[in-house]
Amino acid sequence: MTVVLHSPPDDRFAGQGLDFLKLLHLVDNHASCRVAQKCGYVLEEVVPARPPYPSGGHVHVRRSPQDSS
């Protein structure tokens, strides 16, 4: 995950046909949330807890520079 987060934005999408990347972490993992935000991933959704995960999660999204949606 670290390599993807720190690579230049165009490298993550170029030649892959990707419109966005999603990152999911447990809601109580504040360090992962900060890293995602600092790397340009926007908090898009809070998901509820489901077994086997005891707490909910945060879904962060980083859109392709060419994606206008």
Side-chain angles (χ1 to χ4, degrees), residues 4-27:
V4 172
L5 287 175
H6 291 293
S7 63
D10 291 338
D11 289 351
R12 284 177 265 170
F13 299 100
Q16 301 298 318
L18 300 174
D19 295 324
F20 59 87
L21 296 172
K22 285 190 175 185
L23 179 148
L24 171 66
H25 66 82
L26 293 177
V27 73

Side-chain angles (χ1 to χ4, degrees), residues 24-28 46-58:
L24 171 66
H25 66 82
L26 293 177
V27 73
D28 58 353
V46 177
V47 294
R50 288 185 217 154
Y53 303 107
S55 62
H58 282 171

Side-chain angles (χ1 to χ4, degrees), residues 40-53:
Y41 286 73
V42 177
L43 177 62
E44 181 173 88
E45 181 181 4
V46 177
V47 294
R50 288 185 217 154
Y53 303 107

Side-chain angles (χ1 to χ4, degrees), residues 25-37:
H25 66 82
L26 293 177
V27 73
D28 58 353
N29 188 336
H30 304 290
S32 287
C33 199
R34 282 192 304 274
V35 169
Q37 291 170 341

